Amino acid sequence: MSNTIEYPKFAVVGHPNKGKSSIVSALSHDSSVQIGDTPGTTQVKRSFPLKVDNKIVYELFDTPGFQRARQILAWLNEHKPSSADKRVDVVKAFIAEHRENPRFRDEIELLEPIVEGAGIIYVVDASKPYGPEYEIEMEILRWCGQPSMAILNLIGDEDYREEWKRALGQYFRLVRTFNPMRAKFNDHIELLEAMAHLNEEWTKSIKVAIDVLKKLHRQKIEQTIDVVVDYIIKSLSFVYKQKIKNKDATTEEKERAKERYKAQLIKNEKQLEREIESIWQHLGVKKEKEDLALDNIGLFSKQSASIFGLSQKELIVTGASAGAIGGLGIDLALGGGTMFLASLIGGAVGGVGAMMGFDNLYEMRVMGQKFGKKELSIGPMKNINFPYILLGRSLYYAYMISNRSHAKRDTLELKDDGFLLEDIFDAESRKKLEKLHTKLRAGDNPTDSMVEEYKDIVLKNYLAFVEAD
Amino acid sequence: MQTKNLNLSIKSYFDMSQLLQKYRGSHKENRELALQEERLQKAPVKLLLKWLDKNLYRVTTELNSKKYLEYLSSFNSALGLFSFVFGFLVGVGLLSYSGESPVNIVYYLLIVVFMPLFSMFVSLLSIIFPGKVGNFFTMLFPLHWIEKLVKAIAFRNKMDEFEIPFSSKFTKIFFIERVQLFSLIFSIGILISLVVMVVATDIAFGWSTTLQISVDAFHKFINYIGIWWAKIFPSAIPSLELIDMSHYFRLGAKVDNSMVENADKLGAWWKFLAMSTLFYSIILRFLFWLFTKELLHKQLEKEFLSLDGVSKILKEFNRPFVSTVAPKPERHLDIKKSTKERITPKKKEEYSTLLGWNYSIDEIKLINDATGVVVENMLEVGGSNSFTQDSGIANSLKGKVILYVKSWEPPTMDFIDFLEMVIDNSAVTKIEIYPLGTVGKYYKSNPKDIAVWERKIDTLKSDKVWIIDNE
Ligand SMILES: Nc1nc2c(ncn2[C@@H]2O[C@H](COP(=O)(O)OP(=O)(O)O)[C@@H](O)[C@H]2O)c(=O)[nH]1
Ligand SMILES: [Mg+2]
């Protein structure tokens, strides 16, 4: 090939408003790209390099769409060379001759990276019917003589992929469906694998890129679990202290302390959310204000408990097998048959539903202090389900953010979506977690090894969960 | 490039712990630093110190290390001076020769040989045994109590403002290290007092104990003490004769005449005493001090590396930084709303011509069945037409024209070029653009798509052009 470059480049091209910027935004995890339903939002080509320590592995270009394709093809045909291998020179000549012409600015931005050696990624919206007018664009791209593939995006709710495939097959060796809004990490990797096959010389670099991205993805998951577990331990062992005037705390003082205690836990959760967003490069994602499941009060709501916590039965089984509520003498052998008994004990351990009275579940104590001053202390939370609620809510949030496409500009919708802790943690892991929870509830200082163990359990289970997903 | 900043010190430890409360750097910045300092890649502590050096300016409040080091240096100089003066006075006290009874070298040896040996032994125990046992040994040091006193009085308020980030283990080793240093200074005081006394006064040395020790045994004992320098400096080992001569009995006996006569000979002891001081109190102590200093450094390094936040930075030093986003920010386009209402409902109207942009005649006929538009003259535009063909059509039009377009395809500049030619044709009185949906949607278009067309057409500022909304 005439244009040998040290790393592969790809220009994402196509008609306006077919999702070029969305695809680039999703692939590059860049949520700052302007995406809009007005054609021409992308005015100049923009580079999105994948860099490892400032070394470029590959480079993606977002480009404006074709605007005057017909006029360009006419010019090219007028200057037809004697042999096909000279066609790219004609395209170059077109660019050189029209560089100062504002009429062809968009096309020049689009064609320039291609004649400089970039592979072509041609994007169409296959939810709309095919039309022969597209052949003009494809013909121009063919003049460039670069390796190329087509991506079928489905913006609307119809599906015309079959007719598109027939037409695109004439021009492109590879045709793939890729939805930038819904694509998850594995879809990205599959797309990159397809891109690797466009040109033998690029295969190695793309393989490196895939490797780098997989490692990065794994690191992000690990980082997420780290912050989630740090948060859970911080919140579970949190004790709020407040000086009081008299020997006993007044109701008012108690109420205020309760409010402060809760406020701190809510603050911790908000901070965790920001940390997760920052790990996944989703800072500033818009959230539904009145989202019941994950709002401020939600943390302490019955609803949150029933969505994110363990079910009453699971709670009892877990608690009993970990010895946390063993003193109650549940006969596990009876298994599911003890639901009546279980519901009774549920009351005692503070399970889901009616048992979610948080008021009685954090220990409130008045302690003597030096110089006769008294102190009111609240915490740590005694509710046996509370750790699971924290875990469920934070893993759900992490899951939603980590799977959110960077092409999305809409508000993040947080519904429960049947995200069950029971699906993530097996009984054995829950038992191990419960043992750690028991220690934290007792007010033990979390040691490094406890934190490590907690992280290991959560990471192992979460990874298995997302891999099966 | 081994600048002084790259040595771990109490100051850097303090500064690091203060900086980490405020700033931990991004992966990108941290990794860049690690790559710049390639030579330091295998030396995490040095790399961290480089990082500290680069970022310390971010702490804008007074450095805690400054306060602490001020405290420490005043504490150290006070105690250092005290130790020296104390040592000197102890020396003078021990060496005072009243002219009546000679200076008892046994006392002197207790202070310069046995006390250091004992104190170093206790220090060692205190290092070896962790926790309570070790703390018990530290309590044997007077310095422990002096420090407690000093802290309680003078520096209490100053130091309460921030937390001292050291662990108790570090504090213990630090304390022991200081004990060695002050003992060393104390011993230097003694040595100087010995020199001064020997030069300025005339001292008669003698030895006496309550225990029954023969001259021979004492001679042996003295030789043990002096074993280290016997070879290189034999004159600093007292002879049997001298030992015998200087034996005196405190009880009953006055200073014996022969002793008075031989006072100058008895003075020969001083060399031995000076060597004992030098060896046990100074050289040995100095070596032990270096040893505790090294221990202290090791502990400091350990605690430095386990400061909250350090492991994150170290990880980032070693992890390649991967960037996928656009390095240059985008100049966002503001999208203006259209200024004028350009929508007209579909009416039964007479058109001179029907144009289908990117539609074939067959498709136009099918659409007409659905829309109920009846026009005699139907033409394809766009699509496979050449630009010249289209401009010919634009110039031949007249009267009211209806133009079918695919609503989901936003208007391209190619379309706008054509439309402008039609607008420029004065024979055309009105152009109604009809954006259609797909067949699957029975040609009904999406309001969002209509809005896109409306905005684009609005930029042409022509009163001839209207958009038909089929709602
Ligand atoms: N629902 C949906 N909308 C999409 C998808 N891809 C693009 N869009 C929307 O289509 C419009 C144009 O997208 P954009 O990426 O700016 O297209 P470009 O002009 O080709 O860069 C935007 O409003 C996007 O939100 C998709 O896969 N699904
Ligand atoms: Mg765009």
Side-chain angles (χ1 to χ4, degrees):
Chain A
M1 215 186 11
S2 57
N3 288 305
T4 27
I5 35 176
E6 65 278 32
Y7 53 84
K9 297 180 189 182
F10 300 94
V12 179
V13 299
H15 224 62
N17 263 33
K18 299 301 168 196
K20 299 181 294 296
S21 296
S22 304
I23 286 171
V24 170
S25 185
L27 286 179
S28 65
H29 303 168
D30 189 333
S31 48
S32 76
V33 180
Q34 192 175 16
I35 291 171
D37 46 19
T38 301
T41 40
T42 313
Q43 295 166 292
V44 291
K45 67 165 182 283
R46 295 188 71 219
S47 145
F48 295 78
L50 169 69
K51 285 195 269 186
V52 177
D53 285 338
N54 287 325
K55 195 173 165 288
I56 299 179
V57 183
Y58 72 71
E59 192 174 15
L60 274 182
F61 288 99
D62 185 15
T63 64
F66 279 104
Q67 293 287 354
R68 292 184 168 97
R70 202 160 53 140
Q71 297 165 44
I72 291 163
L73 188 61
W75 192 95
L76 295 178
N77 278 324
E78 269 168 41
H79 298 78
K80 211 176 209 139
S82 49
S83 67
D85 65 317
K86 301 248 160 52
R87 281 176 164 196
V88 64
D89 298 327
V90 179
V91 180
K92 283 180 183 165
F94 173 82
I95 294 173
E97 197 175 316
H98 297 86
R99 195 172 290 284
E100 302 304 320
N101 187 344
R103 285 174 67 80
F104 297 113
R105 198 199 63 201
D106 288 5
E107 272 82 4
I108 289 175
E109 288 286 325
L110 180 167
L111 291 171
E112 212 167 30
I114 300 176
V115 297
E116 281 164 12
I120 297 164
I121 297 180
Y122 184 66
V123 180
V124 299
D125 174 10
S127 71
K128 295 287 156 23
Y130 169 76
E133 65 273 19
Y134 282 89
E135 282 155 33
I136 299 165
E137 294 171 2
M138 295 192 273
E139 192 57 36
I140 295 174
L141 294 175
R142 187 142 76 180
W143 275 69
C144 299
Q146 279 294 73
S148 59
M149 71 181 286
I151 289 183
L152 303 172
N153 184 14
L154 288 169
I155 297 183
D157 48 14
E158 293 172 81
D159 192 342
Y160 294 91
R161 272 185 289 183
E162 283 318 309
E163 60 181 75
W164 274 103
K165 274 183 191 163
R166 280 195 294 274
L168 291 168
Q170 313 271 320
Y171 293 88
F172 302 96
R173 204 148 50 87
L174 270 174
V175 181
R176 281 286 143 94
T177 304
F178 183 82
N179 188 313
M181 301 296 171
R182 256 175 286 154
K184 290 189 179 178
F185 180 69
N186 284 341
D187 303 311
H188 290 191
I189 297 298
E190 275 171 27
L191 184 62
L192 281 176
E193 274 163 358
M195 282 155 67
H197 293 302
L198 287 184
N199 182 339
E200 227 180 293
E201 288 173 38
W202 297 345
T203 313
K204 219 178 119 203
S205 283
I206 300 293
K207 289 255 181 286
V208 170
I210 289 172
D211 223 48
V212 165
L213 290 172
K214 278 185 175 167
K215 262 194 205 127
L216 186 69
H217 188 72
R218 170 72 189 238
Q219 277 169 13
K220 284 180 178 179
I221 292 179
E222 282 169 12
Q223 256 175 298
T224 305
I225 299 303
D226 277 358
V227 295
V228 164
V229 172
D230 287 341
Y231 150 77
I232 285 169
I233 288 181
K234 185 165 108 189
S235 284
L236 282 186
S237 47
F238 174 61
V239 177
Y240 174 77
K241 286 188 179 139
Q242 182 186 301
K243 296 222 163 58
I244 52 170
K245 294 199 192 81
N246 302 317
K247 229 174 89 208
D248 261 324
T250 61
T251 333
E252 218 173 278
E253 280 171 330
K254 279 186 187 167
E255 279 311 310
R256 205 176 50 223
K258 255 188 247 173
E259 282 313 308
R260 295 267 168 83
Y261 172 77
K262 284 188 183 180
Q264 181 61 48
L265 294 186
I266 291 168
K267 204 174 137 203
N268 290 351
E269 191 178 64
K270 289 277 160 269
Q271 192 191 334
L272 171 74
E273 289 175 2
R274 276 195 304 278
E275 282 172 37
I276 293 174
E277 288 160 21
S278 133
I279 291 170
W280 295 94
Q281 292 169 284
H282 269 304
L283 270 179
V285 57
K286 281 177 280 175
K287 279 173 258 181
E288 207 67 74
K289 270 274 179 314
E290 55 280 3
D291 230 311
L292 265 178
L294 276 181
D295 71 349
N296 294 352
I297 333 138
L299 180 56
F300 299 97
S301 69
K302 266 186 209 174
Q303 192 198 9
S304 179
S306 62
I307 295 171
F308 297 110
L310 287 182
S311 69
Q312 189 170 316
K313 187 181 151 214
E314 280 307 321
L315 206 53
I316 289 161
V317 173
T318 302
S321 67
I325 50 173
L328 295 166
I330 308 167
D331 188 0
L332 272 177
L334 293 173
T338 58
M339 276 319 285
F340 173 67
L341 179 62
S343 63
L344 285 180
I345 298 155
V349 297
V352 193
M355 284 65 73
M356 275 307 290
F358 280 93
D359 279 3
N360 313 318
L361 292 165
Y362 31 70
E363 214 171 13
M364 200 183 281
R365 281 185 295 185
V366 176
M367 296 193 295
Q369 270 235 313
K370 280 184 233 166
F371 314 117
K373 285 254 170 65
K374 295 275 183 185
E375 210 179 42
L376 179 66
S377 92
I378 297 191
M381 174 64 84
K382 295 290 181 211
N383 184 319
I384 189 168
N385 205 6
F386 194 63
Y388 300 102
I389 299 171
L390 296 183
L391 197 55
R393 285 166 67 96
S394 43
L395 288 182
Y396 174 64
Y397 195 76
Y399 178 80
M400 290 305 281
I401 290 290
S402 62
N403 283 313
R404 181 178 166 86
S405 163
H406 290 81
K408 282 192 170 248
R409 299 290 177 273
D410 56 354
T411 46
L412 177 68
E413 266 187 58
L414 298 168
K415 292 191 231 95
D416 49 285
D417 277 345
F419 187 88
L420 290 179
L421 268 193
E422 274 124 81
D423 296 341
I424 302 179
F425 295 97
D426 54 37
E428 188 56 32
S429 303
R430 283 198 302 258
K431 185 172 145 188
K432 283 186 195 154
L433 286 180
E434 189 50 41
K435 286 198 169 138
L436 293 168
H437 293 158
T438 309
K439 284 187 193 163
L440 293 168
R441 263 198 297 277
D444 284 12
N445 258 341
T447 60
D448 287 353
S449 69
M450 269 165 78
V451 177
E452 278 320 303
E453 190 190 344
Y454 205 118
K455 284 180 180 169
D456 284 350
I457 298 169
V458 179
L459 181 66
K460 199 183 90 211
N461 286 277
Y462 184 76
L463 278 176
F465 173 73
V466 290
E467 260 150 41
D469 186 33
Chain B
M1 186 180 47
Q2 186 115 344
T3 61
K4 77 176 204 308
N5 291 322
L6 289 191
N7 287 319
L8 182 60
S9 63
I10 288 182
K11 178 176 160 39
S12 38
Y13 179 89
F14 254 92
D15 292 345
M16 190 71 162
S17 103
Q18 201 179 353
L19 177 61
L20 285 173
Q21 311 262 332
K22 237 192 118 184
Y23 177 80
R24 294 175 181 196
S26 68
H27 185 185
K28 184 167 190 276
E29 292 163 315
N30 295 344
R31 174 68 178 172
E32 262 166 22
L33 179 88
L35 289 179
Q36 272 164 25
E37 305 293 332
E38 223 177 324
R39 289 148 304 174
L40 297 183
Q41 229 145 53
K42 294 247 152 51
V45 173
K46 296 224 185 285
L47 203 51
L48 285 166
L49 289 169
K50 198 86 205 170
W51 183 89
L52 174 67
D53 192 36
K54 195 183 136 210
N55 291 304
L56 191 59
Y57 75 93
R58 293 174 201 273
V59 178
T60 44
T61 51
E62 194 188 357
L63 290 174
N64 289 342
S65 64
K66 192 166 167 257
K67 279 184 241 170
Y68 182 79
L69 290 176
E70 268 167 16
Y71 153 73
L72 199 66
S73 80
S74 44
F75 181 78
N76 279 345
S77 16
L79 269 180
L81 186 69
F82 173 80
S83 304
F84 180 80
V85 171
F86 188 55
F88 188 82
L89 293 179
V90 167
V92 171
L94 285 172
L95 300 171
S96 290
Y97 171 50
S98 64
E100 263 181 30
S101 60
V103 170
N104 192 345
I105 59 159
V106 177
Y107 290 151
Y108 192 88
L109 288 179
L110 266 179
I111 298 293
V112 301
V113 177
F114 295 102
M115 202 184 70
L117 286 177
F118 176 72
S119 129
M120 285 185 269
F121 178 66
V122 171
S123 296
L124 207 59
L125 289 181
S126 161
I127 290 166
I128 293 167
F129 293 106
K132 291 227 166 72
V133 188
N135 290 342
F136 168 76
F137 289 118
T138 42
M139 284 200 291
L140 293 178
F141 296 109
L143 184 67
H144 176 73
W145 302 104
I146 295 173
E147 197 191 347
K148 270 210 147 73
L149 199 72
V150 173
K151 248 192 190 159
I153 310 163
F155 300 101
R156 169 117 216 153
N157 294 335
K158 243 193 185 172
M159 301 305 295
D160 264 3
E161 284 165 29
F162 59 93
E163 233 173 89
I164 294 180
F166 300 130
S167 73
S168 61
K169 181 155 186 214
F170 180 88
T171 316
K172 192 178 93 179
I173 301 178
F174 191 28
F175 170 77
I176 290 169
E177 183 263 351
R178 290 288 106 170
V179 168
Q180 311 316 314
L181 179 65
F182 296 131
S183 306
L184 185 65
I185 296 172
F186 171 83
S187 308
I188 293 171
I190 291 186
L191 185 67
I192 291 176
S193 75
L194 176 69
V195 174
V196 170
M197 293 299 274
V198 167
V199 172
T201 63
D202 188 11
I203 314 172
F205 291 99
W207 63 277
S208 151
T209 82
T210 332
L211 306 171
Q212 291 300 315
I213 291 176
S214 68
V215 173
D216 265 347
F218 195 68
H219 179 235
K220 227 180 210 157
F221 172 69
I222 291 294
N223 272 304
Y224 272 130
I225 292 178
I227 198 159
W228 311 99
W229 61 87
K231 285 264 157 58
I232 39 168
F233 203 5
S235 69
I237 304 285
S239 62
L240 188 61
E241 184 201 5
L242 178 62
I243 290 170
D244 188 24
M245 209 184 328
S246 43
H247 194 191
Y248 78 100
F249 303 92
R250 194 189 286 263
L251 291 176
K254 287 258 165 219
V255 178
D256 154 337
N257 277 341
S258 67
M259 277 179 89
V260 178
E261 280 159 25
N262 296 314
D264 55 331
K265 277 186 196 156
L266 296 181
W269 273 102
W270 78 268
K271 284 186 198 158
F272 172 72
L273 296 183
M275 279 312 286
S276 303
T277 316
L278 190 65
F279 183 79
Y280 291 96
S281 284
I282 295 179
I283 295 177
L284 214 55
R285 180 70 85 173
F286 179 72
L287 293 177
F288 195 71
W289 178 55
L290 288 185
F291 165 69
T292 56
K293 242 178 118 66
E294 184 54 30
L295 276 186
L296 188 69
H297 188 79
K298 283 265 153 61
Q299 185 64 22
L300 188 65
E301 195 171 288
K302 207 168 129 197
E303 289 185 21
F304 184 72
L305 287 174
S306 58
L307 274 174
D308 191 27
V310 162
S311 68
K312 168 202 173 262
I313 296 172
L314 284 179
K315 227 184 236 172
E316 292 178 345
F317 281 161
N318 291 318
R319 250 184 205 172
F321 176 70
V322 179
S323 144
T324 50
V325 300
K328 280 189 228 142
E330 186 177 23
R331 269 195 30 223
H332 279 215
L333 184 78
D334 3 298
I335 291 146
K336 291 188 192 76
K337 278 213 102 24
S338 66
T339 51
K340 189 169 174 285
E341 188 64 53
R342 297 214 170 261
I343 305 283
T344 165
K346 200 177 85 192
K347 289 172 291 202
K348 272 253 174 286
E349 282 220 48
E350 295 284 312
Y351 301 101
S352 68
T353 314
L354 190 159
L355 302 172
W357 180 261
N358 290 343
Y359 279 120
S360 68
I361 292 293
D362 289 346
E363 284 170 320
I364 294 173
K365 284 181 183 159
L366 276 174
I367 296 167
N368 284 348
D369 286 347
T371 56
V373 174
V374 190
V375 181
E376 203 51 28
N377 190 19
M378 290 184 288
L379 292 167
E380 290 176 23
V381 282
S384 51
N385 282 9
S386 72
F387 191 69
T388 0
Q389 277 172 312
D390 276 357
S391 72
I393 293 172
N395 290 328
S396 67
L397 297 169
K398 50 182 170 302
K400 250 189 245 171
V401 176
I402 182 166
L403 174 52
Y404 285 169
V405 296
K406 296 175 176 173
S407 62
W408 65 90
E409 299 290 7
T412 58
M413 288 316 287
D414 195 28
F415 172 80
I416 299 294
D417 288 345
F418 171 72
L419 194 59
E420 278 179 332
M421 288 189 286
V422 181
I423 293 168
D424 289 344
N425 177 351
S426 53
V428 175
T429 53
K430 192 174 184 188
I431 310 151
E432 290 187 7
I433 297 174
Y434 196 169
L436 299 156
T438 59
V439 189
K441 301 265 176 193
Y442 310 104
Y443 304 110
K444 262 215 155 37
S445 53
N446 185 328
K448 263 165 81 185
D449 294 333
I450 298 283
V452 171
W453 279 89
E454 195 188 353
R455 279 201 299 271
K456 191 72 194 181
I457 297 308
D458 192 52
T459 60
L460 296 176
K461 306 275 173 249
S462 165
D463 291 336
K464 279 191 197 172
V465 191
W466 290 85
I467 292 167
I468 300 175
D469 189 355
N470 60 0
E471 249 354 301

